[in-house]
Amino acid sequence: MSVQGTAAAPALLWAPAAWVGGRWQAGVLLRAGADGLWAEVRAGVAAPPGAEVLPGPVLPSLVNAHSHAFQRAFVGLAERRDSAHDDFWSWRDRMYGVALRITPAQLRALAAQLYAELLDGGYTQVCEFHYLQHAPDGSRYADPAAMLQALADAAAEVGIGLTLLPVLYERAGFTQPALRDDQRRFATSADEVLALQRAAAGMGALVTAGVAVHSLRAARPASIVALAERSSGPLHVHVAEQTAEVDDCLAATGCRPIDWLARHAPLDARWQLVHATHSVPGEIAAVARAGAGVVLCPGTEANLGDGLADLPGWLAAGVPLSVGSDSQVLRAWPEELRWLEYGQRLALRQRNVAADPGHEPATAARLFERVRAGGAAAAGLPRWGLEPGARADLLLLDASCPGLAGLPASHLLDGLVFAAAARPFARVLVAGRWRWPDDAAVAARAGRAAAVMHQLWAQ
Ligand code: ZN
C-alpha cells in the first residue's frame, strides 16, 4: 500500500475490532468531528445506520518521536567498512558530508519521500529533531527558518502531522568552546532556537513546535537551563547514546549524562531523553520520578552499534516510552518494536523480555501500548490514540495479509510485530481524512527524491 492523496472520511466509522483503552474491543464506533479530533469512541455497539463499516480491525497509529529527515539521503550508503575501525563517530563524519551539501529544495523532496514512507509504515506524526538550519557556508538564509519550512511543506504535501524541534547546538564537545568547521550549518543560540520555534508554530494545521538540545556535549549548561526556562512544549535531547559521551561527561562534570540532566536540567514531563542507551538504575529512578520520557530508536541504535538500552528497567520504572526512526534505516514501527524486543532476547538469552506476566503477557501488546501512550508527550499533543479529544488518526489493518491471516484478534499485534510484512496497513486516516493510494503521485515523489540522491552523490 502507498498512502497518497486525501479524501474526506465519513463522519461515522464502525470497526469490527479496535485497540481502545489498551486492549482489543469488539464493535467500535468512531466519530470524527469537523475539527479533525475524535468526538466519540464507543465499544460494544452494533454498526449504526449511515456508518461506514470498515473491513478489518483498526489500531491507533503511532508517533515517530525522533527523526532527522535529511539522513534519508544516507540510507543504504553507509554499510561498507573502508577502514580498520568503523563506529558511530566514523559514520557521523560521513553523514556530515551530506549535511554540508543539502539545500532546502533537496531537503523538501527527500522529506516528502520519507514522510510518505513513514505514513506507509504506520506513523501519522513525526518529530523532527532539526539541527540543519543554515546555508552550506554557515551563513543565515534570508528566511532563517527556510530549512524548517522545507520540512513543513513536505509534511503538508503528504498529510502527516509534524512536531518541529529546532535544536540548540553551540560547541563540538565538553571541552571545546566552539563548533568544528563541518558543524557550521548547525550553530544556534538559545535565542535563535526560540525564534525558530515561534516561526515553526505557524507552519500548518498539523504542525506543533517544541525545542531540542543536541546533546550535553554540544550545548553549554547555562544555555540548556535558559532554553528550558524560556521555552514551552516538548524538549528533546540526545543523551547517553555513546559510551564515549558518558566518559567525556563524567570527566567534564563528574556526572553521567542522565544523572547530570536529573541534577541540573531540571527534568520534568516536557523532557524527552533520546536513546538513553547507557544508564544505571539510579538514573532510571530519577527519570521516573521526574516524569520525563525516553525515546528509543532500536533500528538506528543497532545500525550504529550504539549498545542496548535497559528496556526492562525503563518498562519496570513506568517511564513513558516512544520510538523513533532517527537515521531512517527503518521506517515502520512494527520493525522498531521487533528490534526493541529482539535486542533484549539476544543479550539476555530469554524470550518475551518486554512482557509482564502478571498484567500484560503479550510482548507486542505491552510494547505497543506503552509506545502509544508515550508518543503524545513527545509530540507535544495532549492525547494520542482512539479516544475522544485525540486527533482522528487510525490504521486499518489488512488482516488477510501473510502473517496475520487466520490469527485470532487477541494475537494480531503479535503477528504484526513478529510475523507479518512491515506494512500490513490497508488505509491510514489522519485528522479525519483518509490518505488514499495514488500511483501517479507516488511515482512523481519517488522520482524527485531519486533525482536529489543523484545530485547529492554525484558531487
Ligand atoms: Zn538523533
Side-chain angles (χ1 to χ4, degrees), residues 66 68 71 129 131 238 241 274-275 326:
H66 190 68
H68 307 284
Q71 292 182 17
F129 193 106
Y131 54 83
H238 288 133
E241 180 180 6
V274 181
H275 303 300
D326 194 1

Side-chain angles (χ1 to χ4, degrees), residues 180-348:
R180 294 174 11 172
D181 181 59
D182 59 5
Q183 296 170 320
R184 58 188 178 267
R185 295 190 77 180
F186 316 154
T188 42
S189 65
D191 282 340
E192 285 176 302
V193 171
L194 292 166
L196 290 167
Q197 185 191 16
R198 286 192 293 275
M203 287 184 179
L206 297 183
V207 178
T208 57
V211 295
V213 173
H214 181 272
S215 55
L216 298 186
R217 68 176 183 273
R220 286 184 272 278
S223 304
I224 296 170
V225 172
L227 184 64
E229 286 175 349
R230 295 171 59 201
S231 62
S232 60
L235 203 174
H236 292 226
V237 58
H238 288 133
V239 69
E241 180 180 6
Q242 300 297 322
T243 51
E245 179 199 346
V246 176
D247 296 342
D248 289 352
C249 189
L250 267 169
T253 72
C255 295
R256 300 170 55 85
I258 299 171
D259 183 35
W260 188 94
L261 280 172
R263 290 174 190 272
H264 301 286
L267 291 181
D268 60 22
R270 289 177 61 204
W271 283 83
Q272 302 295 318
L273 278 53
V274 181
H275 303 300
T277 308
H278 303 286
S279 64
V280 296
E283 291 176 306
I284 292 178
V287 174
R289 280 195 301 276
V294 165
V295 183
L296 301 165
C297 307
T300 293
E301 289 152 8
N303 188 275
L304 298 183
D306 290 344
L308 280 173
D310 183 358
L311 179 67
W314 293 116
L315 283 169
V319 170
L321 300 179
S322 54
V323 293
S325 63
D326 194 1
S327 70
Q328 323 300 355
V329 287
L330 298 183
R331 301 177 295 286
W333 63 254
E335 290 183 276
E336 297 288 358
L337 297 192
R338 185 184 313 147
W339 278 103
L340 197 52
E341 168 69 18
Y342 277 174
Q344 301 295 322
R345 292 190 190 189
L346 289 163
L348 300 173

Side-chain angles (χ1 to χ4, degrees), residues 1 3-14 30 38 52-58 119 158-159 392-397 426-437:
M1 182 207 63
V3 279
Q4 307 294 329
T6 64
L12 204 58
L13 305 170
W14 183 89
L30 299 138
W38 292 120
E52 180 186 356
V53 174
L54 299 175
V58 303
L119 269 184
V158 303
D393 295 11
L394 64 73
L395 305 171
L396 173 62
L397 272 186
R427 284 200 249 161
V428 177
L429 188 85
V430 183
R433 297 171 72 86
W434 291 113
R435 309 293 154 173
W436 289 95

